[in-house]
Amino acid sequence: MRYAILSDIHGNLEALDAVLADAASRADAVLVLGDVVGYGADPQACLERVAERAHAVVAGNHEHGVAGLLDLDWFNDRARLAVEWTRRKLDPDHLAWLRARPLILELDDATLVHASPDQPAEWEYLVSAEDGYDVFGAFATRVCFVGHSHRPGAWSVGSSGRAHEPGAREIELEAGRRYVINVGSVGQPRDRDPRASYALWDLDGRRVTIERVPYDLLTAQRKILSAGLPRFLADRLPIGA
Ligand code: ZN
């Protein structure tokens, strides 16, 4: 069994389609860790694609913001503008679907959550080594997949000690170790690599790889500008920041 694990698509249909095409022959099923919408110009199409293709989807803070489950004061000014714009683009069926996504779920000895398995509705960012080490008590499975920071990376703990690998590309799942793995962002990477990021989890091969996929960035930028969304959201895509 091989899973493609996607997070932080953020309404970027060009990036999502490139990732789904890349994963089509390499994965048996697609899992999504939230923030399907927000920032990008295609929230409806991304949401419909994900609803149709994903085996499981957990909610991100943008889902909760758009669906009225998270106070908009939580967001910075640009993110709030994008949340309000996105809400106007979605119909009641879309909003109901967003509202119905769980915050956290377990599947095949993995926990899926957008931000942190420790109080998922607090939307904490796991960035430093300690941030990751601190949450191993908050989930029971061998692996926990997260997104939210838009930066791929891995933390692991076991009898041979602890390890933090920011920017990890290949993670061998060793016996006796547990892992927190950030899969990066499909639609708005922030690790200075503008290519879409997602993870492939090979259960039999006991390995997770972070895949990077180029996509039609100019079209995604053009759509953001013609939608009247803040220019900053288009400008950041080629920088990957
Ligand atoms: Zn996000």
Side-chain angles (χ1 to χ4, degrees):
M1 186 70 185
R2 293 164 305 171
Y3 287 107
I5 309 174
L6 285 56
S7 191
D8 297 279
I9 295 159
H10 283 297
N12 186 336
L13 184 63
E14 286 67 36
L16 174 59
D17 279 344
V19 163
L20 290 174
D22 189 77
S25 61
R26 309 175 72 191
D28 305 297
V30 173
L31 310 174
V32 175
L33 304 180
D35 280 10
V36 175
V37 300
Y39 302 136
D42 281 308
Q44 281 209 24
C46 287
L47 194 147
E48 284 166 11
R49 205 76 105 239
V50 164
E52 178 189 303
R53 300 284 298 277
H55 179 67
V57 185
V58 294
N61 48 302
H62 279 258
E63 271 78 55
H64 273 217
V66 167
L69 299 171
L70 175 61
D71 197 296
L72 295 189
D73 289 344
W74 189 92
F75 294 90
N76 67 39
D77 289 350
R78 287 150 170 166
R80 190 179 323 119
L81 277 172
V83 166
E84 287 168 341
W85 180 90
T86 300
R87 188 184 285 163
R88 290 197 297 274
K89 292 287 164 188
L90 298 178
D91 63 35
D93 286 352
H94 291 122
L95 293 172
W97 186 86
L98 290 180
R99 224 172 266 130
R101 293 313 98 201
L103 276 171
I104 188 163
L105 59 85
E106 290 182 10
L107 177 147
D108 276 338
D109 212 16
T111 298
L112 309 179
V113 68
H114 182 65
S116 167
D118 185 23
Q119 299 183 294
E122 294 297 315
W123 313 108
E124 297 286 352
Y125 287 91
L126 306 183
V127 179
S128 70
E130 290 302 324
D131 292 344
Y133 299 150
D134 284 351
V135 304
F136 277 89
F139 65 98
T141 55
R142 197 150 116 73
V143 186
C144 177
F145 289 102
V146 301
H148 195 43
S149 72
H150 298 207
R151 294 187 183 97
W155 295 259
S156 68
V157 300
S159 47
S160 50
R162 309 193 293 187
H164 176 219
E165 194 185 349
R169 297 298 299 266
E170 272 198 46
I171 303 123
E172 302 290 342
L173 303 177
E174 295 168 26
R177 291 190 78 75
R178 297 173 68 227
Y179 297 82
V180 172
I181 298 173
N182 191 313
V183 303
S185 168
V186 170
Q188 196 195 78
R190 293 179 192 160
D191 62 345
R192 303 269 157 192
D193 181 344
R195 295 175 298 168
S197 178
Y198 78 102
L200 276 176
W201 176 26
D202 180 344
L203 273 76
D204 306 317
R206 299 167 189 273
R207 172 188 302 159
V208 176
T209 55
I210 303 296
E211 305 293 329
R212 301 307 285 254
V213 185
Y215 70 93
D216 182 359
L217 211 143
L218 291 174
T219 297
Q221 287 184 297
R222 185 176 47 71
K223 286 179 172 177
I224 286 172
L225 295 176
S226 57
L229 282 159
R231 167 170 287 277
F232 164 76
L233 297 173
D235 289 346
R236 70 189 304 176
L237 292 180
I239 306 163

